[in-house]
């Protein structure tokens, strides 16, 4: 097959190997760097399926990537569908793009829909390692109909052979494990510290010496104080400025680095921050750089207005949109999950044009979306892991660093990490620069929803589900006694959840009870939704209260407790919702569950109530005390849940009709994902 052509490309050796495995009827597990041509392997499998009158499914971890893949495949002339929860378009097409959660749910709810499916392509398969969502990938691989073949794609996986051995033991077909480690555009890693300038890893000792000499010279103490603390002490932070303290003159260290990168024409630059506010502040501080010439300014302004016209937006009535334009005219911008989805879309399109030269962004920008730059800068190497600030994983570093280097434009991509004082001594720089990533570890953790779905098919044999997992496969090490101890501990945890579902009235001796049958049909917050439905509290709610209630089940306050003062007392109906959910939490507590199901968070209530009564986006954001993007995401998830509950109770019932009215009331303007997608 050497010299094999596909879609006008001459396949390289790893693509040839993958194509041969697909033709031979095998599964494929492919590990290769970003931009090296993994998608071509997926397209080969899709073409094989369609050519044989069969179907293919392409899954991704995030909706934005699913949307992008849909557009890419549609542009290629394929008959393609899309299912993301927010959107369902042409679901019976020969190729359907969907999020992995949608795939897993379909495996349990209606496995017959896969009768004519040849391939499931799992993009970013390393997400199996994700603490919150990883179990979804694992469950999909275990329980998908046995005739379905998988093409699993990922960037570097350290324990590729181990992972492949588990897939081969789990799935019926043979498996081709293929590893390719050569990037089409190599990366060049550099470090930056204000006392040492830009340097290479091999010069770390000299950088430490420069730093310590500077400390001695300046009479600085506490050499391991963080850069944030140093900046505040030298220039003052916002709180100090509000108190009237004077700021010393002098450029901030990251500005000096950007001066150097811009002077060397190493544009465009993706600058990763781990704080939304840092992205916004840094973008504003760099507004005076004027990175575009007059012609480029005219082009980006024209493009901005064309995109706004396409999406039927009116910038003059939207201060945030005008802000995007103002920054873009200087060649600068920011991008993070707190922005409205439509605003993020505009920034992404401007960046793709190559006219946005300096973009400050959070790590979500690196998840699969194909938007490379010449240079990547890390503001910090540590981020909040949910518990504390710690150095990021090498896999996360490489995912973001991989955005450096544009194929066909750059000989190499430059990656620069800004170091705090302690990073000179403690940061795991060798691990980052060696491209050695952490092994994938199983996060198998059967949710209540999964247990209910499995119980309806397997009954008491649901306990055997653990034995098929990657967790069990990885635990199969050490002595026989140690292996059995791990197995019993995992089964005991699963058994505890089964007992909770029994006591709560979801499971009986003969299978699923009415509560269980309802919860099985709801994806996400299924226990909370079931409890409030069976309590009868929803029957007394109007459409505004329904919208508030379902949003409260999902909403999780991001900010600190100091903002809690704006909350108002919940009314009697909302108190009944709390009591309904608490019923299940009490049963969990009796079984020693450390993290019970999420309680309703009513802090978003005033905002949702106002939105259901046709308030503006500005009022929505102000009343929610939260970023608009977070509120829109909550509203879209609430719409999904209300649709599922409406299907359970029936459209003809009074509650079903009011749920439909509530959906219509809140699914408008920036919340309406389908309209936005169809316009764009």
């Amino acid at each position: 097959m050497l010299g094999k052509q596909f879609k006008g490309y001459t396949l390289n050796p790893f693509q040839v190997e993958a194509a041969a495995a697909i033709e031979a009827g095998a599964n494929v597990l492919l590990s290769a760097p970003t931009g090296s041509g993994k998608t071509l392997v997926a397209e080969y499998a899709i073409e094989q399926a369609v050519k044989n009158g069969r179907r293919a499914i392409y899954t991704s971890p995030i909706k934005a990537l699913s949307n992008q893949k849909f557009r890419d495949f549609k542009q290629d002339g394929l008959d393609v569908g899309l299912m993301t929860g927010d959107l369902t378009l042409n679901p019976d097409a020969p190729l359907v793009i969907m999020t992995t959660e949608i795939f897993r749910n379909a495996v349990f709810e209606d496995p017959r829909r896969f009768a004519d499916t040849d391939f499931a392509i799992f993009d970013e398969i390393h997400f199996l390692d994700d603490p919150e969502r990883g179990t979804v990938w694992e469950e999909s691989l275990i329980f998908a109909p046995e005739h379905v073949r998988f093409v699993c794609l990922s960037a570097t996986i350290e324990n590729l052979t181990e992972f492949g051995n588990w897939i081969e033991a789990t799935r019926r077909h043979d498996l081709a494990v293929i590893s390719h480690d050569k990037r089409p555009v190599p990366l060049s890693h550099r470090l930056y510290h204000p006392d040492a300038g830009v340097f290479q890893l091999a010069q770390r000792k000299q950088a430490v010496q420069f730093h310590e000499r500077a400390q001695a010279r300046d009479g600085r103490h506490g050499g391991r104080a963080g850069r944030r603390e140093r900046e505040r002490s030298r220039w003052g932070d916002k709180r100090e400025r509000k108190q009237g303290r004077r700021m010393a003159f002098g450029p901030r260290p990251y500005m000096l680095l950007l001066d150097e990168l811009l002077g060397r024409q190493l544009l465009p630059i993706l600058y990763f921050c781990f704080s939304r506010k840092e992205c916004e502040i840094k973008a504003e501080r760099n507004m005076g750089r004027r990175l575009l010439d007059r012609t480029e300014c005219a082009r980006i302004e024209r493009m901005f207005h064309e995109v706004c016209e396409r999406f039927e937006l009116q910038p003059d009535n939207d201060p945030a949109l005008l802000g995007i334009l103002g920054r873009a005219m200087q060649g600068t911008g920011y991008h993070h999950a707190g922005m409205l989805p439509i605003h993020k879309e505009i920034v992404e399109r401007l960046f793709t044009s190559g006219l946005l030269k300096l973009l400050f962004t959070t790590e979500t920008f690196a998840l699969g979306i194909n938007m490379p730059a010449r240079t990547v800068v890390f503001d910090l190497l540590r981020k909040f892991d949910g518990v504390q600030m710690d150095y990021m994983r090498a896999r996360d570093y490489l995912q973001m660093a991989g955005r450096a280097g544009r194929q066909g434009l750059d000989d190499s991509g430059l990656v620069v990490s800004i170091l705090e004082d302690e990073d000179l001594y403690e940061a795991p720089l060798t691990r980052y620069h060696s491209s050695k990533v952490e092994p994938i570890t199983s996060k198998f953790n059967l949710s209540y929803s999964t247990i209910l779905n499995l119980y309806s098919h397997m009954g008491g044999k649901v306990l055997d589900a653990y034995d098929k997992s990657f967790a069990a496969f990885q635990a199969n090490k050490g002595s026989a006694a140690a292996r059995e101890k791990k197995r019993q501990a995992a089964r005991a945890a699963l058994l505890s959840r089964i007992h909770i579902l029994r006591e709560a009235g979801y499971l009986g001796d003969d299978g699923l009870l009415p509560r269980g049958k309802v919860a099985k049909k709801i994806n996400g917050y299924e226990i909370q939704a079931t409890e409030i439905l069976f309590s009868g509290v929803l029957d007394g709610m109007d459409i505004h209260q329904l919208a508030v209630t379902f949003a409260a089940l999902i909403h999780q306050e991001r900010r600190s407790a100091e903002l809690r003062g704006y909350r108002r007392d919940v009314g009697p109906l909302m108190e009944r919702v709390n009591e309904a959910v608490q019923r299940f939490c009490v049963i969990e507590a009796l079984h020693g569950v450390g993290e019970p199901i999420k309680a309703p968070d009513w802090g978003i209530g005033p905002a949702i109530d106002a939105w259901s009564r046709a308030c503006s986006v500005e009022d929505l954001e102000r009343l929610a005390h939260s970023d608009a993007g977070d509120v829109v995401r909550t509203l879209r998830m609430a719409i999904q849940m209300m649709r599922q509950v409406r299907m359970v109770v029936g459209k003809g019932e009074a509650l079903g009709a009011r749920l439909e009215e509530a959906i219509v009331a809140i699914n408008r303007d920036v919340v309406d994902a389908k309209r936005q997608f169809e316009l764009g």
Side-chain angles (χ1 to χ4, degrees):
M1 291 178 68
L2 288 176
K4 184 179 179 68
Q5 295 280 316
F6 179 64
K7 292 197 169 183
Y9 296 97
T10 300
L11 299 184
N12 63 31
F14 86 82
Q15 293 167 330
V16 168
E17 187 179 353
I22 289 167
E23 290 182 4
N27 295 309
V28 172
L29 172 60
L30 170 60
S31 171
T34 301
S36 58
K38 294 191 293 290
T39 302
L40 213 57
V41 172
E43 291 173 355
Y44 193 85
I46 292 165
E47 184 175 275
Q48 291 294 306
V50 174
K51 190 168 66 176
N52 294 324
R54 307 278 290 172
R55 301 176 72 213
I57 291 169
Y58 193 115
T59 83
S60 76
I62 58 174
K63 293 174 183 177
L65 182 54
S66 295
N67 293 347
Q68 182 186 9
K69 291 296 182 186
F70 175 86
R71 289 191 177 105
D72 290 347
F73 285 122
K74 197 172 182 65
Q75 197 169 354
D76 285 347
L78 288 172
D79 183 7
V80 58
L82 178 68
M83 298 176 70
T84 64
D86 286 346
L87 292 166
T88 298
L89 303 171
N90 197 17
D92 298 320
L95 169 63
V96 180
I97 316 296
M98 61 179 69
T99 54
T100 315
E101 277 84 357
I102 297 284
F103 179 88
R104 189 277 311 268
N105 295 340
V107 163
F108 288 138
E109 293 166 9
D110 188 14
R112 292 170 300 178
R113 70 175 300 158
F114 297 102
D116 57 352
T117 299
D118 258 6
F119 290 102
I121 292 104
F122 272 21
D123 204 356
E124 311 284 1
I125 187 66
H126 59 269
F127 256 78
L128 185 138
D129 191 55
D130 184 78
E132 293 184 3
R133 301 170 60 208
T135 189
V136 171
W137 276 255
E138 206 163 331
E139 292 166 21
S140 298
L141 284 162
I142 295 169
F143 299 112
E146 65 174 20
H147 72 272
V148 175
R149 283 190 283 156
F150 283 86
V151 176
C152 301
L153 310 174
S154 175
T156 307
I157 296 177
E158 192 274 338
N159 53 335
L160 189 67
T161 301
E162 178 190 41
F163 186 47
N165 287 341
W166 171 71
I167 293 177
E168 192 157 32
T170 304
R171 303 300 303 171
R172 188 187 79 184
H173 301 92
D174 292 337
L175 175 73
V177 178
I178 303 168
S179 178
H180 176 75
D181 57 12
K182 186 177 180 182
R183 280 182 55 89
V185 182
L187 294 181
S188 177
H189 299 268
R190 295 292 185 270
L191 305 160
Y192 174 79
H193 187 277
D195 294 333
V198 177
F199 62 97
Q200 297 186 42
L201 180 58
Q203 298 169 308
R204 187 177 193 171
K205 285 185 179 178
Q206 294 96 306
V208 170
Q209 290 171 359
F210 282 129
H211 166 58
E212 291 176 348
R213 284 176 196 159
Q215 274 190 304
R217 183 178 65 249
D218 299 343
R220 283 188 258 155
H221 300 287
R224 302 200 178 184
R227 178 170 56 82
R228 295 278 181 270
E229 286 68 29
R230 292 203 318 278
E231 285 196 13
R232 284 174 181 154
S233 66
R234 292 172 67 185
W235 297 291
D237 67 9
K238 282 171 126 180
R239 289 168 296 181
E240 291 170 340
R241 293 199 292 279
K242 283 179 183 175
Q243 293 164 2
R245 298 181 186 175
R246 294 178 64 189
M247 276 179 62
F249 292 102
R252 292 171 172 83
Y254 80 91
M255 297 289 268
L256 294 173
L257 172 61
L258 288 176
D259 288 344
E260 183 171 344
L261 295 173
L262 297 173
R264 294 170 57 191
Q265 295 295 301
L266 295 170
L267 301 166
I269 297 170
L270 271 180
Y271 191 114
F272 284 106
C273 305
F274 295 126
S275 156
R276 297 175 181 181
K277 188 55 67 179
E278 282 290 325
C279 290
E280 296 178 11
I281 290 171
K282 283 182 165 57
E284 292 299 327
R285 284 178 179 162
N286 283 272
M287 281 277 287
R289 289 193 180 274
R290 300 188 183 278
L291 304 175
L292 306 182
D293 60 30
R294 189 173 298 177
T295 303
E296 289 172 322
C297 280
R299 283 176 58 203
I300 205 163
E301 184 176 21
R302 186 167 60 250
M303 183 178 182
F304 172 85
H305 287 295
E306 285 172 356
V307 174
C308 287
E309 188 176 340
R310 169 174 282 193
F311 284 106
E312 299 178 0
L313 302 173
Q314 297 179 325
D316 291 339
N317 300 327
D318 188 338
L321 263 182
L322 289 176
I324 290 172
L325 176 60
R327 288 183 291 273
M329 294 285 284
Q330 310 301 322
T332 304
Y334 66 77
H335 180 286
H336 60 66
M339 299 170 67
L340 285 172
I342 186 61
H343 291 175
K344 285 194 297 180
E345 177 92 16
I346 290 170
V347 173
E348 289 163 13
R349 294 193 183 201
L350 295 178
F351 187 78
T352 304
S353 73
L355 293 169
L356 215 54
K357 306 295 186 182
L358 178 57
L359 184 66
F360 297 90
T361 183
T362 53
E363 61 189 309
T364 52
F365 198 80
L367 291 177
I369 301 172
N370 184 27
M371 294 187 188
R374 171 67 181 86
T375 302
V376 160
V377 175
F378 287 94
D379 189 51
L380 280 174
L381 290 178
R382 292 179 300 153
K383 66 175 185 173
F384 188 65
D385 62 7
V387 180
Q388 61 185 358
M389 288 291 288
D390 201 0
Y391 287 109
M392 74 177 91
R393 298 182 304 174
R395 185 183 304 129
D396 297 333
Y397 171 89
L398 289 170
Q399 181 97 36
M400 288 177 269
R403 294 295 157 210
R406 298 161 298 171
Q407 201 164 352
L409 293 173
D410 304 318
D411 294 330
S412 67
L414 177 63
V415 184
V416 186
S417 301
I418 300 176
L419 303 184
E420 296 189 342
D421 290 354
E422 63 266 36
D423 298 336
L424 284 169
Y425 304 90
E426 299 170 4
L429 302 175
T430 303
R431 192 174 75 207
Y432 295 151
H433 290 201
S434 68
S435 299
K436 291 277 197 266
V437 299
E438 301 79 9
I440 287 178
T441 56
S442 172
K443 299 299 187 291
F444 191 69
N445 180 29
L446 292 181
S447 65
Y448 291 124
S449 173
T450 302
I451 291 170
L452 291 169
N453 275 285
L454 290 176
Y455 209 89
S456 65
H457 298 302
M458 303 170 65
K461 292 183 179 179
V462 69
L463 282 170
D464 297 335
Y466 167 77
D467 296 332
K468 298 179 179 180
S469 71
F470 189 40
F473 191 86
Q474 290 190 304
N476 196 24
K477 298 170 184 173
S479 66
R483 295 198 301 271
E484 184 58 25
K485 185 177 179 180
K486 291 176 185 174
R487 181 172 182 269
Q488 291 303 325
R491 289 171 72 93
L494 180 52
L495 193 59
S496 174
R497 291 198 161 204
I498 293 172
H499 284 156
I500 289 168
L501 288 169
R502 279 182 167 274
E503 287 185 32
Y506 286 72
L507 293 177
D509 292 336
D510 298 324
L512 299 186
L513 297 175
R515 267 186 164 88
K517 290 176 181 177
V518 167
K520 177 174 172 284
K521 296 176 181 177
I522 301 171
N523 303 313
Y525 305 97
E526 62 281 343
I527 300 297
Q528 293 94 324
T530 301
E531 289 297 311
I532 63 174
L533 180 60
F534 274 76
S535 75
V537 64
L538 298 180
D539 294 326
M541 290 186 177
D542 62 27
I543 65 170
H544 311 294
Q545 292 165 329
L546 287 170
V548 168
T549 297
F550 282 93
L553 296 185
I554 296 158
H555 176 62
Q556 188 80 50
E557 183 61 68
R558 293 186 77 249
R559 301 196 177 186
S560 60
E562 65 188 10
L563 287 175
R564 300 285 178 179
Y566 74 86
R567 296 177 185 278
R568 64 185 184 188
D569 292 335
V570 298
L573 286 174
M574 279 49 179
E575 196 55 56
R576 283 181 60 194
V577 171
N578 288 342
E579 291 168 1
V581 175
Q582 187 62 23
R583 185 191 85 89
F584 195 91
C585 294
V586 167
I587 297 171
E588 287 185 305
L590 292 173
H591 282 266
V593 174
E595 294 185 17
I597 61 170
K598 179 191 167 299
D601 185 337
W602 301 102
I604 202 171
I608 304 302
D609 181 77
W611 182 254
S612 70
R613 299 176 192 273
C615 79
S616 67
V617 175
E618 291 74 20
D619 286 339
L620 176 70
E621 190 170 21
R622 176 178 55 80
L623 290 167
H625 295 256
S626 187
D627 289 336
D630 294 329
V631 188
V632 168
R633 194 157 42 250
T634 297
L635 280 162
R636 288 179 176 180
M637 291 174 69
I639 289 166
Q640 290 177 42
M641 198 190 306
M642 284 194 283
R643 282 174 177 156
Q644 291 167 354
V645 174
R646 185 198 63 194
M647 293 296 290
V648 168
V649 300
K651 295 180 182 180
E653 298 296 319
L655 175 57
R658 286 202 309 282
L659 283 167
E660 178 61 29
E661 287 183 61
I663 291 167
V664 171
I666 62 175
N667 191 30
R668 61 180 178 84
D669 299 340
V670 296
V671 177
D672 189 344
K674 186 173 183 179
R675 179 175 176 274
Q676 179 183 320
F677 188 84
E678 290 174 342
L679 287 173

